[in-house]
Amino acid sequence: MTQQTWNPESYAKNARFVSDLGEPLLDLLQLVPGERILDLGCGDGALTEKLVAAGGLVLGVDASAEQVQATRQRGLEAEVCTAENLPFVEEFDAVFSNAVLHWVKDQPTAIAKVYRSLKPNGRFVAEMGGFGNVATIRNALHTALQNRSINPQEYDPWFFPTADEYRVLLEDQGFEVDSIVLFSRPTPLPGDISGWLETFAQPFLCALPPDNWEACVEEVRDRLRPTLFQEGQGWIADYTRSRFRAIRRAA
Ligand code: BEZ
């Protein structure tokens, strides 16, 4: 399967709302100045910067070298690393993560690596796509691939669990779950849905030759328009989020 790639300029244009809407997660973190924080999936560093402004000693990690570069250009510390390959042992007071975990393939390994990265009593505070997230968009992408005799399951990279499902994944790796909630958050997009599709749905488009992408995006857009577009309001994506706070208890 082709990997999702991130371009900092198109991310800033089509996806700035991701970090803007992730800001309430900072309240759930309750950062104490001087704490060491790992920002897992820091993207272009927009929230990493807020964590630093709140007094955190923050390291950002991201799977995308381009996004790590964008974070460093803000003067912040960042390294290329995936969630499954975190090398840290009891280094952080908290691991913070916004809008990344739904891309992670091997959830048990990633959660175990987060657990190991935390000091005893450290907290894991995160938001991710939850069960039913972007279901209308996902269905339209599946239909577009099926119409071309391609099995969409082979290209669909997203994991959107229920709260109970993710609670079990966290508890299986030793976490005590303080809170986990699933909520609907219809999200106005900054432009046309085609920008969202080109930014977030690359693994589906990569099932096709590049000269078919534009027609596929058009077809998906036409299918979504009656449900997700409103005159005067524009495109509104059917986001559902899962937000949790879990603790690595002292042994
Ligand atoms: C999300 O943040 O909910 C999301 C990100 C990428 C694809 C789909 C949803």
Side-chain angles (χ1 to χ4, degrees):
M1 194 180 71
T2 308
Q3 291 293 314
Q4 172 74 22
T5 60
W6 299 105
N7 171 292
E9 285 82 41
S10 64
Y11 190 84
K13 182 167 156 234
N14 295 311
R16 183 76 293 140
F17 65 89
V18 174
S19 52
D20 289 348
L21 296 176
E23 282 199 42
L25 203 52
L26 296 169
D27 298 334
L28 193 60
L29 180 63
Q30 295 185 310
L31 193 158
V32 176
E35 281 189 320
R36 286 209 69 205
I37 311 291
L38 179 67
D39 184 0
L40 173 58
C42 60
D44 67 1
L47 286 176
T48 323
E49 202 161 58
K50 305 251 181 229
L51 293 166
V52 170
L57 306 174
V58 189
L59 172 66
V61 291
D62 202 283
S64 159
E66 291 79 6
Q67 294 284 58
V68 164
Q69 185 59 23
T71 299
R72 287 181 179 161
Q73 274 164 5
R74 293 176 188 262
L76 304 171
E77 203 186 329
E79 300 291 340
V80 177
C81 188
T82 65
E84 292 99 329
N85 287 304
L86 296 173
F88 312 108
V89 181
E90 300 194 2
E91 284 190 40
F92 295 95
D93 298 291
V95 175
F96 174 94
S97 181
N98 181 48
V100 168
L101 293 171
H102 47 252
W103 293 102
V104 170
K105 279 274 138 287
D106 183 348
Q107 292 285 336
T109 299
I111 294 169
K113 292 288 169 74
V114 169
Y115 188 93
R116 194 184 67 170
S117 303
L118 287 167
K119 299 175 189 171
N121 292 318
R123 53 219 194 271
F124 182 21
V125 173
E127 182 173 312
M128 66 189 290
F131 185 73
N133 191 37
V134 297
T136 315
I137 302 175
R138 193 181 208 177
N139 287 339
L141 286 162
H142 277 228
T143 303
L145 292 196
Q146 279 157 355
N147 288 346
R148 291 162 175 81
S149 304
I150 295 169
N151 177 4
Q153 302 296 350
E154 286 177 26
Y155 295 91
D156 188 330
W158 300 330
F159 175 60
F160 299 135
T162 64
D164 282 347
E165 210 178 342
Y166 214 75
R167 176 188 289 277
V168 169
L169 282 166
L170 289 163
E171 288 175 349
D172 280 352
Q173 300 306 323
F175 277 107
E176 183 179 307
V177 179
D178 244 16
S179 67
I180 181 160
V181 288
L182 186 74
F183 58 98
S184 164
R185 186 170 66 205
T187 299
L189 300 182
D192 194 86
I193 190 92
S194 55
W196 190 97
L197 292 167
E198 283 154 12
T199 304
F200 292 105
Q202 288 168 20
F204 293 90
L205 296 175
C206 286
L208 307 169
D211 57 358
N212 290 7
W213 291 2
E214 203 178 316
C216 181
V217 167
E218 273 298 296
E219 181 189 317
V220 171
R221 181 181 190 277
D222 290 347
R223 188 163 289 120
L224 293 174
R225 195 179 162 87
T227 321
L228 299 185
F229 185 81
Q230 287 176 32
E231 282 310 332
Q233 290 193 51
W235 289 91
I236 301 179
D238 52 340
Y239 272 59
T240 299
R241 316 309 286 168
S242 182
R243 194 180 279 169
F244 65 83
R245 178 182 158 105
I247 312 292
R248 171 182 174 161
R249 283 286 166 227

